[in-house]
Amino acid sequence: MSGEASSSNEKDLKFLRIALEVAARSRKNGNHPFGAIIVDENDNILCEGENTVVTGKDCTGHAETNVMRKATNQYTPEELEKSTLYTSTEPCAMCAGAIHWGRMGRMVYALSESGLYDGIGAQDPIHILRLPCRDVFACSDRKFEVAGPFIQDEGWTVHEGFWN
């Protein structure tokens, strides 16, 4: 696994903001405020995923698992290895596993796991699993680029008032 990218670029910020729009739509649709998109090597958005935990009554309905489910049904592993997953918030361990098994080539996120947990507090410790995605990806035998956190203030905005 390669290390953290040192800085973001304008393209990454553009697609992170689109992932944040998906997260805002997820919240508007009655779910947790998380969103993810997959972008190919030519900067085309291949698919997007909202969180559907509440409306789908499925604890695995996270934005990243939903987008990976769509992507692996529509695209080859070779296409996904050349693509980037952009996500509003650092993926949990389950989602990191889905990203790994789906053979995604790169991932960029806005809000860090620690930034999310610091913002929501420990009001419900049963639902907190502190395991940064880089720790999950470090167990992989294949190379994978992880970049983030970037635009954390913008990333937090979609969560404001939700977890109270």
Side-chain angles (χ1 to χ4, degrees):
M1 183 183 97
S2 61
E4 176 179 355
S6 59
S7 63
S8 64
N9 59 51
E10 288 305 312
K11 179 174 73 170
D12 285 344
L13 297 180
K14 170 189 164 187
F15 288 122
L16 280 175
R17 289 182 174 113
I18 294 171
L20 288 167
E21 291 171 9
V22 175
R25 189 172 65 237
S26 176
R27 180 176 178 169
K28 183 179 176 185
N29 289 336
N31 288 292
H32 301 148
F34 299 100
I37 63 172
I38 294 177
V39 177
D40 72 10
E41 63 186 325
N42 298 313
D43 298 336
N44 298 305
I45 297 175
L46 301 180
C47 52
E48 59 182 48
E50 295 181 24
N51 179 288
T52 56
V53 168
V54 176
T55 59
K57 298 181 180 179
D58 177 2
C59 67
T60 67
H62 292 194
E64 298 88 354
T65 55
N66 286 339
V67 80
M68 289 306 301
R69 204 173 283 121
K70 288 178 188 177
T72 57
N73 279 310
Q74 296 176 25
Y75 301 97
T76 67
E78 294 76 21
E79 289 171 307
L80 294 178
E81 286 175 342
K82 297 175 186 174
S83 299
T84 300
L85 186 147
Y86 291 91
T87 184
S88 61
T89 306
E90 180 176 357
C92 71
M94 174 186 69
C95 292
I99 293 164
H100 164 79
W101 292 115
R103 293 178 54 184
M104 187 58 47
R106 179 173 182 256
M107 188 200 62
V108 182
Y109 63 93
L111 180 63
S112 68
E113 172 191 84
S114 61
L116 173 66
Y117 290 156
D118 289 348
I120 66 175
Q123 65 215 15
D124 190 1
I126 290 174
H127 292 99
I128 293 178
L129 174 62
R130 292 186 186 270
L131 182 58
C133 69
R134 281 184 176 84
D135 292 352
V136 175
F137 296 132
C139 297
S140 174
D141 287 341
R142 69 180 187 86
K143 298 213 181 282
F144 180 81
E145 181 185 346
V146 178
F150 300 121
I151 60 171
Q152 287 208 95
D153 290 343
E154 291 179 52
W156 173 251
T157 300
V158 73
H159 294 276
E160 285 179 341
F162 181 83
W163 302 101
N164 298 344

